[in-house]
């Protein structure tokens, strides 16, 4: 019998008012009225089926993402939260987050979200530069972004602001000004990540050009220094927080915890008491999902793949990787990977201590090369 990891719940809301050119998430443009009532009913039925896989384990965090969850009425979100709590054991200290877009924000609605039990808001700002916002096809301007932050801070203290750097045509001073503007609003958490152009996106087909990698590196180095000076601790590759405000939901992902994923196109990872690990993928087609066809696939994760996936997550964190933690999560002794560890140490990516491994600065910078070592 293995020690079961903590478990989280991810809820996917697939609708957006507009799909951005860089977005590769499973989402639909809401040209007509969103079938909120029907979707919430099916979300809860999907949840009931997944509960059969987790043996009454307590859920520690909930994250409502998308898409743009804030498109939904407060009554729909309230019904969803109540339905989840009626069906499962939720920790009384659970972090419950929701993503929002400044354009769709209605501040009365956000007060209701908070009253429903949501205690963390994540705003997709991306940049305060109105010209760059147009370039990346966002549907709001700088003033609307600032107004959204100010109004949200009147409602709740636990706020994450999403920012991107390396945008098309962005200069070093633009990226640093975005950070300065963000810091001025004093959010509890900042997600600051590099824009990537993924296949199957509009930007990929248009061959949108991003700044040179040398300029992007300068943005990263100088931006990180600015955040550190302003009291934000980098605890993950793209995550910075004030003390005690790390995102608990994402920490569970990165520490290789379990999670249920419900909703159109959602993914899950669930460990059984016998040590077997399964990944679930829900149906991406919204019409099929609303017909009650929730599960697209469920597959067992082989040990060799578990090892790679484990390091793919934990190496993102700025903390030691304890060997005891590896043994508990994968249920094998670390001696089985000693040759791979030796290669990583020789390349200068890892430091090996008696009880833990630590990624070097070089290992973090060349993370993909480090992870390749653990591919079978």
């Amino acid at each position: 019998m293995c020690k079961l990891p903590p478990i989280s719940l991810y809820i996917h809301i697939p609708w957006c008012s507009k799909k951005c050119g860089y977005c590769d998430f499973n989402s639909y443009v809401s040209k007509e009225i969103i079938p909120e009532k029907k979707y919430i009913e099916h979300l809860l039925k999907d949840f009931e089926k997944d509960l059969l896989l987790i043996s009454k384990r307590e859920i520690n965090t909930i994250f409502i993402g998308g898409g743009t969850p804030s498109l939904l009425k407060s009554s729909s979100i309230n019904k969803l939260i109540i339905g989840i709590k009626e069906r499962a054991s939720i920790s009384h200290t659970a972090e419950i987050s929701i993503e929002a877009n400044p354009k769709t924000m209605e501040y009365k609605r956000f007060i209701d979200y908070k009253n429903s039990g949501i205690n963390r808001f994540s705003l997709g700002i991306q940049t305060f530069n109105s010209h760059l916002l147009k370039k990346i096809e966002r549907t709001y301007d700088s003033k609307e972004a600032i107004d959204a932050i100010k109004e949200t801070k009147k409602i709740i203290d636990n706020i994450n602001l999403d920012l991107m750097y390396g945008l098309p045509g962005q200069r070093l001073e633009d990226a640093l000004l975005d950070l300065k503007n963000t810091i001025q609003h004093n959010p509890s958490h900042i997600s600051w990540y590099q824009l990537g152009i993924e296949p199957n996106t509009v930007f990929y087909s248009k061959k949108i050009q991003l700044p040179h990698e040398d300029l992007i590196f300068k943005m990263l180095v100088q931006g990180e220094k600015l955040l550190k000076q302003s009291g934000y601790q980098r605890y993950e590759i793209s995550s910075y927080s004030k003390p005690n405000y790390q995102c608990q939901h994402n920490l569970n992902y990165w520490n290789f915890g379990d999670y249920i994923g419900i909703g159109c196109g959602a993914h899950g990872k669930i460990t059984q008491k016998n040590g077997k690990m399964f990944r679930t993928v829900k149906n991406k087609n919204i019409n099929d999902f609303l017909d009650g066809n929730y599960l697209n696939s469920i597959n067992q994760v082989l040990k060799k793949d578990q090892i790679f996936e484990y390091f793919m997550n934990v190496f993102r964190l700025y903390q030691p990787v304890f060997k005891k933690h590896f043994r508990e999560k994968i249920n094998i002794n670390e001696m089985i990977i000693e040759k791979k560890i030796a290669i990583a140490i020789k390349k200068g990516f890892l430091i090996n201590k008696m009880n833990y491994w630590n990624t070097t600065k070089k290992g973090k910078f060349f993370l993909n090369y480090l992870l390749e070592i653990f591919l079978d």
Side-chain angles (χ1 to χ4, degrees), residues 95-358:
E95 174 192 87
I96 305 178
S97 305
I98 190 168
E99 288 182 330
N101 183 326
K103 190 70 176 180
T104 63
M105 266 181 86
E106 296 183 16
Y107 306 117
K108 171 66 168 64
R109 182 177 293 179
F110 265 58
I111 292 171
D112 291 339
Y113 286 174
K114 182 183 177 184
N115 291 338
S116 296
I118 292 171
N119 50 33
R120 184 177 183 272
F121 290 77
S122 182
L123 306 185
I125 303 299
Q126 316 312 353
T127 176
F128 290 96
N129 185 311
S130 293
H131 174 68
L132 291 177
L133 283 168
K134 283 185 179 179
K135 274 198 168 186
I136 60 172
E137 302 181 357
R138 301 296 279 182
T139 58
Y140 51 88
D141 58 25
S142 177
K143 183 181 183 303
E144 287 174 308
I146 291 169
D147 288 346
I149 296 168
K150 287 180 177 177
E151 294 299 324
T152 305
K153 284 188 70 69
K154 293 176 183 177
I155 300 168
I156 199 166
D157 292 326
N158 196 0
I159 298 173
N160 169 65
L161 299 183
D162 267 356
L163 279 183
M164 295 192 297
Y165 66 95
L167 305 178
Q170 189 178 39
R171 303 168 300 172
L172 175 61
E173 51 266 39
D174 296 327
L176 295 178
L177 183 59
D178 272 344
L179 280 178
K180 289 174 183 175
N181 285 334
T182 303
I183 291 165
Q184 185 178 8
H185 292 292
N186 196 34
S188 55
H189 192 284
I190 299 172
S191 297
W192 190 54
Y193 52 96
Q194 180 185 339
L195 172 63
I197 306 297
E198 301 294 337
N200 303 316
T201 63
V202 173
F203 278 15
Y204 185 84
S205 61
K206 288 182 177 180
K207 298 181 180 179
I208 297 293
Q209 294 298 306
L210 302 180
H212 190 274
E213 60 184 18
D214 290 344
L215 175 55
I216 291 175
F217 183 68
K218 286 181 181 177
M219 293 176 182
L220 172 62
V221 172
Q222 294 190 33
E224 183 181 359
K225 182 179 178 181
L226 179 61
L227 285 161
K228 186 176 180 180
Q229 289 172 345
S230 303
Y232 289 90
Q233 300 172 346
R234 188 182 194 183
Y235 68 97
E236 186 268 340
I237 283 179
S238 57
S239 301
Y240 303 78
S241 77
K242 293 290 184 70
N244 302 316
Y245 279 99
Q246 296 92 338
C247 178
Q248 297 305 308
H249 185 85
N250 287 342
L251 274 175
N252 189 44
Y253 288 158
W254 297 321
N255 278 303
F256 211 50
D258 280 356
Y259 53 96
I260 298 172
I262 64 171
C264 190
H267 289 235
K269 168 188 166 287
I270 302 170
T271 307
Q272 302 295 299
K273 289 181 179 179
N274 60 9
K276 290 183 178 180
M277 184 182 295
F278 294 89
R279 286 205 176 274
T280 60
V281 180
K282 300 302 170 62
N283 202 321
K284 284 187 174 183
N285 186 289
I286 186 62
N287 292 322
D288 287 345
F289 189 87
L290 291 175
D291 282 340
N293 302 314
Y294 311 132
L295 187 64
N296 178 65
S297 65
I298 179 167
N299 296 299
Q300 185 176 346
V301 186
L302 301 177
K303 283 294 179 186
K304 63 183 180 65
D305 296 323
Q306 288 183 34
I307 292 169
F308 173 74
E309 291 185 17
Y310 174 84
F311 286 119
M312 184 173 66
N313 283 278
V314 298
F315 280 160
R316 292 181 64 93
L317 293 168
Y318 281 77
Q319 65 184 37
V321 179
F322 288 95
K323 297 174 184 179
K324 180 183 178 183
H325 185 266
F326 173 82
R327 292 193 295 270
E328 289 177 349
K329 298 294 183 182
I330 311 298
N331 202 29
I332 56 174
N333 192 282
E334 68 272 13
M335 296 301 290
I336 199 169
I337 56 167
E338 62 179 349
K339 289 183 179 179
K340 294 179 182 292
I341 293 292
I343 293 170
I345 292 169
K346 186 176 180 180
K347 289 181 177 292
F349 296 154
L350 276 187
I351 295 171
N352 184 34
K353 297 291 185 181
M354 182 178 293
N355 296 319
Y356 64 88
W357 305 292
N358 222 346

